[in-house]
Amino acid sequence: MLFLDPPYQPRIIIENEDFAVVDKPPFFLSHPTKKKRGFSLLEWLYNQNNQIPWKLIHRLDRETSGLLLVAKNNASAAYFGRQMEKRLIRKGYFAITWGELKADYLKIEAPLGYLGVSSENEIVIRQGIQSNGSQAITEIYPLGYGGGHSLLWVKPQTGKLHQIRVHLSLIKHPIVGDKLYGPNPSYFLDFSKQGWTKEMEKSLLLPRHALHAAFLSFFWKGNKQTVFLPLSDDLEQFLKLTKGFQKIHNPRFFEIS
């Protein structure tokens, strides 16, 4: 039994007097909560400088690594909040999935909502496709495949809870390591009680879901800002150890901005 710690501390990628872009490690909460174990990025930032009223502009799931935009004052928080409402803040993710997706481009449009607790679903936060749910659109660009897996570049056009994970599961390409939307949703509850086990390792392959927030664009003082963060070391290593995996050239990937 093992409860997993972040493999590295958060890293500030860009910072000025009004905002910062931070690399959040996996197994690190975005925001503190009483229900989940572990330290949070917001607490880490307060420890760096508790005179700053840090405010997260968006969040990442606990196991997702990568870029987060953080405001350092109320004015910048409001400014970025308006951009979020107008969908002017764009994001891009690397995802490693089960199955070999051999296509140049795929667009998923499927509304999302809470499934609700029932005999078929014990997990309160679990999302699913709901006809009366919120609009959710995800664009997918394969960047490699082989050995039963794919490397995908994912651009969510909307920002719904667990959107990427649910949409990839919908098309039968769930994210490697996903305890909630992968082969057995009960792993989500088992992990919270027992930690990482040999059974999970055999089935999930990775101790965290293979999703990495790699691209962020936003506007600041009239100028477009873009930040790119390469695939995290643990996910890069997984691909290197996957026999038969090959990266491919997808020209659409370079249109990330």
Side-chain angles (χ1 to χ4, degrees):
M1 181 174 69
L2 178 65
F3 290 104
L4 300 162
D5 294 322
Y8 58 90
Q9 286 294 297
R11 298 182 282 233
I12 294 178
I13 306 299
I14 294 175
E15 183 177 17
N16 64 19
E17 62 183 8
D18 295 300
F19 68 86
V21 177
V22 184
D23 173 13
K24 184 191 82 67
F27 303 111
F28 216 92
L29 295 166
S30 294
H31 194 280
T33 173
K34 294 179 180 179
K35 295 183 178 180
K36 293 184 180 180
R37 78 168 55 234
F39 207 41
S40 76
L41 180 68
L42 205 54
E43 290 170 304
W44 182 84
L45 288 167
Y46 278 122
N47 283 346
Q48 305 307 301
N49 189 334
N50 61 13
Q51 302 302 308
I52 295 175
W54 302 96
K55 290 181 172 59
L56 298 179
I57 303 304
H58 56 109
R59 301 184 186 186
L60 295 175
D61 294 337
R62 180 176 180 268
E63 294 185 9
T64 303
S65 56
L67 299 172
L68 276 173
L69 177 60
V70 188
K72 298 175 70 174
N73 52 61
N74 292 334
S76 60
Y79 180 72
F80 289 130
R82 290 191 293 272
Q83 289 188 53
M84 286 288 287
E85 291 175 0
K86 296 177 180 179
R87 297 183 182 177
L88 295 175
I89 296 179
R90 311 300 293 172
K91 306 165 191 172
Y93 296 76
F94 286 117
I96 300 174
T97 68
W98 291 94
E100 299 179 17
L101 183 55
K102 298 180 179 180
D104 292 331
Y105 171 75
L106 187 64
K107 185 177 183 179
I108 303 171
E109 296 187 58
L112 300 179
Y114 287 99
L115 291 178
V117 177
S118 66
S119 59
E120 297 179 353
N121 177 52
E122 301 178 72
I123 304 164
V124 175
I125 65 169
R126 193 171 177 220
Q127 305 287 298
I129 307 304
Q130 303 279 52
S131 59
N132 61 346
S134 300
Q135 180 191 42
I137 303 172
T138 306
E139 295 184 332
I140 300 169
Y141 306 81
L143 297 179
Y145 44 75
H149 300 291
S150 296
L151 173 65
L152 308 178
W153 181 250
V154 185
K155 292 172 63 178
Q157 300 303 309
T158 52
K160 305 306 176 185
L161 181 65
H162 300 171
Q163 176 178 319
I164 294 172
R165 297 162 63 191
V166 178
H167 275 179
L168 289 176
S169 182
L170 173 68
I171 63 169
K172 310 302 182 185
H173 289 281
I175 294 175
V176 173
D178 198 328
K179 303 172 186 68
L180 188 52
Y181 301 104
N184 187 349
S186 66
Y187 284 142
F188 177 83
L189 295 176
D190 293 342
F191 181 76
S192 66
K193 298 174 184 176
Q194 306 170 24
W196 183 241
T197 65
K198 290 293 184 181
E199 178 188 350
M200 292 180 196
E201 183 176 6
K202 184 177 180 180
S203 180
L204 297 173
L205 303 184
L206 283 172
R208 61 105 162 192
H209 56 243
L211 187 62
H212 178 70
F215 175 79
L216 194 61
S217 74
F218 53 91
F219 289 90
W220 182 247
K221 295 184 177 180
N223 298 314
K224 189 174 185 178
Q225 311 290 318
T226 61
V227 188
F228 181 79
L229 186 67
L231 189 63
S232 57
D233 291 343
D234 62 329
L235 302 187
E236 190 67 59
Q237 182 66 13
F238 177 85
L239 293 178
K240 288 180 180 178
L241 295 175
T242 299
K243 293 182 179 179
F245 176 83
Q246 290 185 331
K247 291 184 179 180
I248 61 172
H249 176 74
N250 188 333
R252 284 191 164 189
F253 168 68
F254 297 98
E255 300 171 5
I256 58 176
S257 62

